[in-house]
């Protein structure tokens, strides 16, 4: 069992998990544990990943041969598999020792998607019915599985997810030939429909079982293919709109297998790029931005030196400065240094009187960034001089700024313009292997609009949004 646990938890570490449950599942007499919306505590592994959930695979054996996956069938790696009974018992032992607050369960494909889903159902049924486990469970839906099996799985889990993995049909066809657009989008549509139906059933019937009460999510790998940030963020916007996802997770590709179509094994994971995508995702979900506002054809990737909100503000200087005492809430959210809470506080506080810069600082506004884009009572901060280099330097973090500080004898400029422009042009994208087809490099994003039910045939090569 310890050997199995070592293999199958190690194989699951590349899946990104949500660390807050997002659902409520109260305990009952004779039951074990409960799920509260924000009840999952946080702990971290040596690699910095959160392990508040027991992240494990049912098996790392797989009949698919996805080039980027460490568990692909052609990769010579030790294999192991849990039986449903072993997995349920292991989860309860970890929970009783207070090691975990819930379970994150995925699996390689055993025999076929239906058989794999049946094994997942068997394990979760033991947890829910035999052990009366009421804790949080996040399960990966298997693309290509029967709809009835997926419906049964959703009644046992708190959250379900279907991993898109790669953001374009071309990349999927080259690196994961056993998967298709339809097999991924179809279960997404099914889960969305079942969640909608279940909400209506709960209103009508007091004891109607909940179907995936914490919603669904997905994950995309960043850096394994030449797909741009623009393709990824457009796809993200389409998924939120069409499939009502709770979260889209981004996973910086860590080279674990040697392949001519993938980055070399010594390539560092694009963690900064992953971070920028999460920041942009936050802007889409909470700040009222659209994907088309953040990136366009001329700028297909995020600036590695600045966060997406600051980049947008610099590229739209005509929108600023904003008078803080009169600006609508929607515009306040677009000011660098002003977050959702501070914008709400500003709207509330200015009802009692005009605000000045000192008051804004008390309300939580980051004046180091916001001062360049706002006025208070019609005036900018006294003594503030706004130049292009001054603005960029002030919006950059200290870590990003350090390489551009000049020697003491050249204090007139903190930047070397040539190096700055060169780095910005690179946009922190990993080099594309020469063997990767040119058609794939052109790429497109997943078509979340035309795949309403996930059953449309492949049209062209792109996943357009």
């Amino acid at each position: 069992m310890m050997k199995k646990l070592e293999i199958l938890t190690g194989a699951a570490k590349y899946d990104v998990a949500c660390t807050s449950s997002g659902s409520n599942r109260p305990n009952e007499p004779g039951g074990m544990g409960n799920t509260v919306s924000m009840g999952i505590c946080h702990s971290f592994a040596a690699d910095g990943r959160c392990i508040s959930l027991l992240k494990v695979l049912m098996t790392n054996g797989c009949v698919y041969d996805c080039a980027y996956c460490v568990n692909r069938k052609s990769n010579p790696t030790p294999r192991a598999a849990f039986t449903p009974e072993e997995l349920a018992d292991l989860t309860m032992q970890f929970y009783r020792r207070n090691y975990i607050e819930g379970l994150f369960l995925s699996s390689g494909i055993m025999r076929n998607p239906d058989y794999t889903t049946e094994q997942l159902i068997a394990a979760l049924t033991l947890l829910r019915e035999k052990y009366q486990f009421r804790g949080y469970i996040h399960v990966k839906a298997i693309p290509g599985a029967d709809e009835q099996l997926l419906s049964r799985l959703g009644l046992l889990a708190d959250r379900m997810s279907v991993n898109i993995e790669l953001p374009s049909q071309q990349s999927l066809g080259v690196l994961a030939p056993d998967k298709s657009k339809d097999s991924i989008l179809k279960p997404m549509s099914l889960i969305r429909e079942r969640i909608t139906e279940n909400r209506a059933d709960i209103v009508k019937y007091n004891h109607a079982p909940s179907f995936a009460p914490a919603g669904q999510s997905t994950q995309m790998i960043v850096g394994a293919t030449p797909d741009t940030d623009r393709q990824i963020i457009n796809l993200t916007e389409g998924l939120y709109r069409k499939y009502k996802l709770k979260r889209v997770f981004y996973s910086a590709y860590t080279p674990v297998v040697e392949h001519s179509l993938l980055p070399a094994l010594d390539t560092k994971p694009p963690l900064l790029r992953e971070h920028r995508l999460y920041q942009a995702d936050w802007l889409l979900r909470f700040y009222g931005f659209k994907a088309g506002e953040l990136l366009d054809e001329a700028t297909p990737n995020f600036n590695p030196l600045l966060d997406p909100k600051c980049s947008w503000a610099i590229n739209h200087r005509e929108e600023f400065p904003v008078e803080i005492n009169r600006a609508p809430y929607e515009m306040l959210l677009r000011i660098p240094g002003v977050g959702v809470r501070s914008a709400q506080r500003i709207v509330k506080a200015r009802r009692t009187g005009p605000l000045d810069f000192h008051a804004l600082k008390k309300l939580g506004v980051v004046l180091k960034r916001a001062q360049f884009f706002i006025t208070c009572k019609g005036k900018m901060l006294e003594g503030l001089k706004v130049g292009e280099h001054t603005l960029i330097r002030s919006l950059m973090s200290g870590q990003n700024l350090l390489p551009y500080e000049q020697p003491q004898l050249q204090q007139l400029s903190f930047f070397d313009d040539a190096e700055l422009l060169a780095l910005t042009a690179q946009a922190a994208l990993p080099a594309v292997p020469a063997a990767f087809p040119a058609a794939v490099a052109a790429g497109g994003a997943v078509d979340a609009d035309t795949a309403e039910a996930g059953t449309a045939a492949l049209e062209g090569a792109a996943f357009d949004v």
Side-chain angles (χ1 to χ4, degrees), residues 230-433:
R230 181 170 180 254
Q231 292 173 279
I232 294 173
I233 207 67
N234 281 335
L235 169 58
T236 297
E237 184 179 57
L239 291 174
Y240 281 134
R241 182 178 66 254
K242 299 297 294 183
Y243 297 99
K244 312 301 180 185
L245 299 189
K246 289 290 186 180
R247 288 291 303 274
V248 174
F249 293 98
Y250 311 94
S251 178
Y253 176 68
T254 303
V256 291
V257 292
E258 190 170 357
H259 196 281
S260 60
L261 301 180
L262 294 170
L265 292 178
D266 58 352
T267 304
K268 293 183 179 180
L271 297 178
L272 178 58
R273 187 182 177 196
E274 176 191 291
H275 180 58
R276 292 286 181 248
L277 286 168
Y278 272 116
Q279 290 175 321
D281 183 277
W282 208 260
L283 295 180
L284 295 179
R285 294 167 61 206
F286 301 111
Y287 287 76
F289 281 84
K290 302 295 183 183
E293 295 179 278
L294 299 176
L295 294 172
D296 53 29
E297 292 184 3
T299 310
N301 297 295
F302 290 113
N303 190 329
L305 305 178
L306 299 173
D307 68 72
K309 190 177 181 182
C310 290
S311 294
W312 178 88
I314 290 177
N315 293 329
H316 294 80
R317 295 294 299 276
E318 71 278 1
E319 302 282 345
F320 302 99
V322 172
E323 172 52 49
I324 207 72
N325 290 292
R326 293 194 302 270
Y329 174 75
E330 293 75 17
M331 191 60 199
L332 291 176
L333 290 176
R334 295 182 173 236
I335 302 172
V338 177
V340 174
R341 289 187 180 181
S342 53
Q344 292 171 347
R345 290 169 183 165
I346 289 171
V347 172
K348 184 177 180 180
R350 68 188 183 185
R351 295 172 185 167
T352 61
L355 302 175
D356 56 19
F357 288 97
H358 182 67
L360 291 178
K361 188 173 182 180
K362 287 187 174 181
L363 293 176
V365 174
V366 182
L367 283 181
K368 179 182 177 182
R369 297 184 178 186
Q371 61 185 347
F372 300 101
F373 303 96
I374 63 174
T375 60
C376 290
K377 305 175 186 178
K379 298 180 180 180
M380 298 193 73
L381 186 64
E382 185 177 356
L384 181 66
K385 295 182 180 180
V386 182
E388 182 178 354
H389 288 179
T390 304
L391 180 58
I392 295 176
R393 184 174 69 248
S394 299
L395 295 177
M396 288 171 60
S397 66
Q399 184 177 2
N400 288 335
L401 177 62
L402 188 60
Y404 296 98
E405 292 182 354
Q406 299 293 339
Q408 293 286 334
L409 54 89
Q410 297 181 12
Q411 294 184 13
L412 293 179
S413 174
F414 281 83
F415 293 88
D416 183 325
D417 292 341
E419 293 184 11
L420 179 61
L421 294 174
L423 180 58
T424 304
Q426 292 175 8
L429 279 177
V432 179

Side-chain angles (χ1 to χ4, degrees), residues 106-166:
S106 185
S107 180
I109 309 300
M110 299 179 282
R111 302 185 189 177
N112 55 63
D114 285 348
Y115 178 79
T116 305
T117 305
E118 289 171 352
Q119 296 300 301
L120 298 177
I121 291 173
L124 299 193
T125 299
L126 286 172
L127 283 170
R128 294 301 195 198
E129 297 181 2
K130 178 180 178 180
Y131 295 105
Q132 294 296 304
F133 181 64
R134 295 292 179 265
Y136 175 74
I137 296 178
H138 182 161
V139 66
K140 292 285 185 180
I142 306 299
D146 184 79
E147 291 186 3
Q148 294 185 2
L149 293 175
L150 292 176
S151 297
R152 173 60 180 161
L153 190 64
L155 293 173
L156 296 168
D158 292 286
R159 173 169 289 179
M160 297 181 71
S161 57
V162 186
N163 282 358
I164 286 182
E165 303 291 12
L166 301 176

